[in-house]
């Protein structure tokens, strides 16, 4: 089977969630890069973060100079995944899916309900485990019994960890980057404020804004601003912006307007222009409820004891969302207690995306070790 730079959608019938809700069918959008070898042993599943999608890489060596550059837009982990890169698509068959509940091709709140209207408020809550079960069903469709590796950062790391716990025999190697074993009070609090910002927007309409031709732009924008402050490090923000005023300031702003405000407003606009508010709410709830211990054991080591994959765990030194302490707690409880790798960065949590030059060699060495 040879699949190179393929974008596809799989349809999975009768899909049951942990809650008991059953979809007549779901769609899973995914992209693949590279070639699946004869014994199907070189497949790597890459898991995206909260607002990511299946487009992990362009799939070409130089997207900016490609013959049709519009067809080869850089992916969200372009510096890590691709031909000749750290996760080398000349060697590995890389698969990246869009998470269940998302808004980029996989069934989510903007999808059409059997009655012809958007799901909207009727879209059920999903869990990280539901997302993994959808990917297990997709692996069956692709004929992949065992992944050479499952790799993910942030929410993608939570998914990767749950994948190895849910189906240990199907994961050979596991890389968890900047992700915890479970959400603690601080994580839950940050999620709560983001969700409430969306829900309190008058244009949210209980989640049915799409059917009414409305959109909670302000609420989603504020949610993104709250989240972004957890993604970056205070030292970095102070270095970049200090208490400098923004010039020129927007015409609609009468009050003092700081550069950091302009930056946050810019981040809000970027997300509002590409992401659905109800999907953001659904995925944030799923990550808020992430707890690999659930239904297994209250003791973390016992809950993780069934994982048979070789495991690599990485943290970002300045991460104030999923701190090195959270990552160390996970590593200590994993079978064999692998020593976590600490990536030096002042980019904060977003270092899992921006520090490919540091992260890459660790991942390459782990995936290719004999």
């Amino acid at each position: 089977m040879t699949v190179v730079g393929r974008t596809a959608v799989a349809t999975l019938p009768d899909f049951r969630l942990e809650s008991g809700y059953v979809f007549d069918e779901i769609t899973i959008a995914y992209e693949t890069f590279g070639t699946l070898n004869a014994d199907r042993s070189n497949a790597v599943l890459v898991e995206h973060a909260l607002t990511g999608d299946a487009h992990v890489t362009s799939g070409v060596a130089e997207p900016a100079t490609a013959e049709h550059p519009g067809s080869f837009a850089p992916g969200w982990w372009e510096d890590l995944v691709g031909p000749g890169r750290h996760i080398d698509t000349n060697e590995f068959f890389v698969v990246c899916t869009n998470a269940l509940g998302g808004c980029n091709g996989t069934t989510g709140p903007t999808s059409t309900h059997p009655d012809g209207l958007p799901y909207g408020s009727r879209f059920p809550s999903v869990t990280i485990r539901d997302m993994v079960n959808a990917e297990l069903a997709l692996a069956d469709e692709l004929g992949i019994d065992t992944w050479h590796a499952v790799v993910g950062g942030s929410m993608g790391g939570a998914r990767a960890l749950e994948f190895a716990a849910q189906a240990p025999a199907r994961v050979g190697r596991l890389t968890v980057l900047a992700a915890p074993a479970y959400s603690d009070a601080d994580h839950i609090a940050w999620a709560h404020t983001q969700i409430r910002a969306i829900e309190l927007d008058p244009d949210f309409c209980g989640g049915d804004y799409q059917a009414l031709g409305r959109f909670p732009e302000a609420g989603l924008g504020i949610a993104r601003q709250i989240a972004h402050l957890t993604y970056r490090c205070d030292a970095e923000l102070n270095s970049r912006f200090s208490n400098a005023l923004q010039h020129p300031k927007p015409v609609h702003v009468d009050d003092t307007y700081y550069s950091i405000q302009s930056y946050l407003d810019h981040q809000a606009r970027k997300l509002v222009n590409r992401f659905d508010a109800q999907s953001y709410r659904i995925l944030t709830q799923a990550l808020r409820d992430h707890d690999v211990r659930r239904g297994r054991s209250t003791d973390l080591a016992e809950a993780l004891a069934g994982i048979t994959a070789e495991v690599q765990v990485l943290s970002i030194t300045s991460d104030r969302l999923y701190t090195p302490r959270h990552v160390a707690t996970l590593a200590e409880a994993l079978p064999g207690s692998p020593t976590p790798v600490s990536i030096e960065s002042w980019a904060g949590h977003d270092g899992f995306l921006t520090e490919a030059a540091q992260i890459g060699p660790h991942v390459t060495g782990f995936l290719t070790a004999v």
Side-chain angles (χ1 to χ4, degrees):
M1 177 180 180
T2 302
V3 184
V4 180
R6 176 184 175 193
T7 300
V9 176
T11 300
L12 307 174
D14 300 321
F15 188 80
R16 179 181 292 272
L17 302 180
E18 283 196 279
S19 65
Y21 185 96
V22 179
F23 289 97
D24 292 341
E25 65 177 29
I26 61 169
T27 58
I28 300 293
Y30 66 99
E31 295 189 20
T32 64
F33 307 89
T35 303
L36 188 62
N37 61 14
D39 63 1
R40 301 172 183 264
S41 62
N42 69 331
V44 174
L45 178 64
V46 177
E47 305 276 33
H48 70 72
L50 184 76
T51 60
D53 54 32
H55 191 61
V56 63
T57 184
S58 64
V60 295
E62 298 290 343
T65 59
E67 183 179 354
H68 302 290
S71 301
F72 298 104
W76 55 265
W77 233 357
E78 185 77 20
D79 291 338
L80 197 74
V81 181
R85 300 195 186 109
H86 300 291
I87 301 179
D88 189 353
T89 52
N90 292 328
E91 179 177 356
F92 296 109
F93 177 66
V94 173
V95 181
C96 186
T97 71
N98 183 224
L100 181 64
C103 56
N104 289 290
T106 293
T107 298
T110 61
S111 301
T112 303
H113 187 275
D115 67 7
L117 294 173
Y119 271 95
S121 66
R122 296 174 294 176
F123 195 83
S125 295
V126 299
T127 66
I128 297 294
R129 208 165 291 176
D130 289 327
M131 299 174 196
V132 167
N133 286 334
E135 290 173 331
L136 284 166
L138 175 63
D140 291 342
E141 289 285 310
L142 297 175
I144 298 170
D145 293 328
T146 303
W147 295 94
H148 174 75
V150 179
V151 180
S154 193
M155 189 184 85
R159 291 162 64 194
L161 177 65
E162 181 59 46
F163 202 112
Q166 182 80 345
R170 303 190 70 169
V171 183
R173 305 183 191 206
L174 169 68
T175 295
V176 178
L177 172 58
Y182 53 86
S183 294
D184 66 14
D186 193 53
H187 305 140
I188 294 166
W190 285 114
H192 169 72
T193 54
Q194 294 173 60
I195 291 167
R196 292 300 286 155
I198 293 170
E199 292 174 339
L200 291 172
D201 188 318
D203 286 323
F204 182 63
C205 304
D208 291 316
Y209 50 85
Q210 186 181 10
L212 299 172
R214 299 167 72 176
F215 188 79
E217 179 176 339
L220 177 59
I222 292 171
R224 181 59 166 187
Q225 291 180 340
I226 294 169
H228 200 75
L229 290 175
T230 72
Y231 298 159
R232 310 303 292 202
C233 170
D234 57 344
E236 183 218 19
L237 294 177
N238 284 324
S239 176
R240 290 175 63 184
F241 303 107
S242 184
N243 63 346
L245 296 174
Q246 180 70 19
H247 297 291
K249 68 180 181 181
V251 294
H252 64 275
V253 175
D254 296 325
D255 198 2
T256 302
Y257 193 63
Y258 291 94
S259 295
I260 185 62
Q261 292 175 272
S262 176
Y263 172 72
L264 290 175
D265 286 343
H266 171 68
Q267 296 300 327
R269 286 191 299 271
K270 283 203 309 182
L271 186 73
V272 164
N273 289 335
R274 71 173 180 85
F275 213 79
D276 176 63
Q278 181 72 329
S279 280
Y280 189 96
R281 178 175 168 273
I282 290 288
L283 297 178
T284 298
Q285 287 176 331
L287 187 53
R288 175 199 67 188
D289 297 340
H290 165 57
D291 189 341
V292 76
R293 300 169 301 184
R294 180 173 57 82
R296 297 188 174 107
S297 172
T298 56
D299 180 82
L300 182 57
E302 288 183 5
L304 297 173
I307 291 178
T308 57
E310 295 180 56
V311 186
Q312 176 184 54
V313 182
L314 303 96
S315 67
I316 308 296
T317 55
S318 58
D319 192 340
R320 60 178 176 181
L321 179 61
Y322 300 132
T323 67
R325 175 181 61 82
H326 291 115
V327 176
T329 296
L330 166 62
E332 184 178 353
L334 282 161
S337 299
T339 301
V341 174
S342 183
I343 303 299
E344 289 285 342
S345 173
W346 75 337
H349 181 64
D350 272 356
F352 87 91
L353 293 171
T354 64
E355 302 293 351
Q358 287 194 70
I359 294 167
H362 293 290
V363 174
T364 301
F366 180 68
L367 296 189
T368 59
V370 177

